[in-house]
Amino acid sequence: MGTPIGNLGDLSPRAVEALATADVIAAEDTRRTRPLLTAVGVPTRGRLVSFHGPHEAELAGRLVERIVERKERLVCVTDAGMPGISDPGERLVVAALAAGVAVEVVPGPSAALSALVLSGLPTGRFVFEGFLPRKGRQRAARLEALRGEDRTVVLFEAPHRLLGTLADLAGAFGGDRPVAVARELTKVFETVWRGTLGEAVAAADAGGDGPEPRGEQVIVVGPAPPIPDDGPADDAVAAALQAELAGGSSTRDAAAAVAGRLGVSRRRAYTLATSLRRAARS
């Protein structure tokens, strides 16, 4: 069930009814959910349970067992926004469906969609990436894979890691790529900073008028510029892909590497790589 991302007025009457009639309320953080329930007059004693931590899969299984055995109605909420998106709610939905338990969605606010709309960047096609891997090879691979993305990219980030992530995005995508950074959405101090990645890094690093590392951060990055028509011919791209595949790279990794090196779209490189892999097997 969706909960407000800052403004209590965004809690729908249907959501209040769902909370009031629930037998158990599973919350990502009971310390955040209890004040919300109190504000709308929903009692918490004996119904509010924590659903967060290193044993989320086990907790999800226990909650589903409780629903089945006691015939109870369970409502799952996150700290703010829609549960199941980059939070433990995903595991609970999977476990419930596997057990044959009916799942119903009570829609609510979304930080990702709100930031996307406010960004001023293209909204017709976008991709939600959640949180990037924090460091190492996985982070580098994800950034490389997104480098040629022709859809708007939406990311979440913690306040204290904002500057580092903006710098990594600028390094991978180029400093001229447009970006918007939204924080405190729907709250009194809602702020949306718009500019280029290079400007965002400089402003944030200087502590000036750029995106300040306070509150929840949503980063919206504009799509990669279109590849010029006079880009590398298919034969040149195929040769580069063949070398990557021969070296043991997967189809996806080979496409990402060649797309970044030759400046072609990742989709084009992946299509060619798939064809080469299929031809080698036949």
Side-chain angles (χ1 to χ4, degrees), residues 1 3-4 8 11 19 25-51 77-80:
M1 189 199 79
T3 57
L8 185 60
L11 188 67
L19 290 169
I25 301 171
E28 184 179 7
D29 187 341
T30 57
R31 296 169 300 179
R32 296 282 297 274
T33 302
R34 185 172 283 108
L36 171 66
L37 298 177
T38 300
V40 296
V42 174
T44 62
R45 187 172 183 179
R47 299 196 304 156
L48 186 60
V49 299
S50 176
F51 179 44
V77 297
T78 186
D79 284 352

Side-chain angles (χ1 to χ4, degrees), residues 49-109:
V49 299
S50 176
F51 179 44
H52 180 69
H55 305 293
E56 291 170 1
E58 182 179 346
L59 290 172
R62 291 178 182 176
L63 287 172
V64 171
E65 288 179 4
R66 176 172 176 170
I67 296 171
V68 174
E69 294 174 359
R70 304 184 188 181
K71 308 299 181 183
E72 291 182 329
R73 182 177 177 83
L74 180 146
V75 169
C76 176
V77 297
T78 186
D79 284 352
M82 282 296 297
I85 307 297
S86 288
D87 84 355
E90 178 184 3
R91 291 184 180 275
L92 186 57
V93 170
V94 172
L97 293 176
V101 174
V103 176
E104 182 180 350
V105 172
V106 179

Side-chain angles (χ1 to χ4, degrees), residues 3-8 10 32 79-82 108-112 114-115 184-187 190 216:
T3 57
I5 57 177
N7 191 321
L8 185 60
D10 292 334
R32 296 282 297 274
D79 284 352
M82 282 296 297
S110 165
S114 298
E184 302 292 304
L185 289 170
T186 76
K187 301 178 184 178
E190 174 180 288
E216 183 180 72

Side-chain angles (χ1 to χ4, degrees), residues 19-256:
L19 290 169
T21 58
D23 297 302
V24 56
I25 301 171
E28 184 179 7
D29 187 341
T30 57
R31 296 169 300 179
R32 296 282 297 274
T33 302
R34 185 172 283 108
L36 171 66
L37 298 177
T38 300
V40 296
V42 174
T44 62
R45 187 172 183 179
R47 299 196 304 156
L48 186 60
V49 299
S50 176
F51 179 44
H52 180 69
H55 305 293
E56 291 170 1
E58 182 179 346
L59 290 172
R62 291 178 182 176
L63 287 172
V64 171
E65 288 179 4
R66 176 172 176 170
I67 296 171
V68 174
E69 294 174 359
R70 304 184 188 181
K71 308 299 181 183
E72 291 182 329
R73 182 177 177 83
L74 180 146
V75 169
C76 176
V77 297
T78 186
D79 284 352
M82 282 296 297
I85 307 297
S86 288
D87 84 355
E90 178 184 3
R91 291 184 180 275
L92 186 57
V93 170
V94 172
L97 293 176
V101 174
V103 176
E104 182 180 350
V105 172
V106 179
S110 165
L113 292 180
S114 298
L116 174 64
V117 171
L118 287 170
S119 71
L121 296 170
T123 62
R125 299 176 66 243
F126 68 93
V127 56
F128 175 67
E129 284 292 316
F131 291 90
L132 290 173
R134 292 193 180 183
K135 57 184 179 180
R137 184 177 300 176
Q138 288 184 328
R139 184 178 180 90
R142 181 78 65 83
L143 288 168
E144 181 63 30
L146 292 172
R147 178 182 178 184
E149 178 60 63
D150 60 2
R151 296 168 291 182
T152 298
V153 178
V154 183
L155 302 161
F156 284 162
E157 190 51 279
H160 61 282
R161 291 197 295 269
L162 176 64
L163 176 57
T165 293
L166 289 173
D168 286 348
L169 288 169
F173 298 173
D176 293 334
R177 188 79 67 90
V179 65
V181 182
R183 68 177 182 87
E184 302 292 304
L185 289 170
T186 76
K187 301 178 184 178
V188 175
F189 298 106
E190 174 180 288
T191 301
V192 182
W193 186 95
R194 303 175 183 87
T196 66
L197 281 169
E199 292 168 343
V201 173
D205 189 35
D209 295 329
E212 299 177 353
R214 295 185 298 170
E216 183 180 72
Q217 310 288 315
V218 186
I219 304 172
V220 185
V221 186
I227 302 299
D229 293 338
D230 58 351
D234 281 355
D235 288 348
V237 178
L241 288 168
Q242 191 65 61
E244 291 287 340
L245 294 171
S249 295
S250 66
T251 303
R252 187 178 300 274
D253 289 343

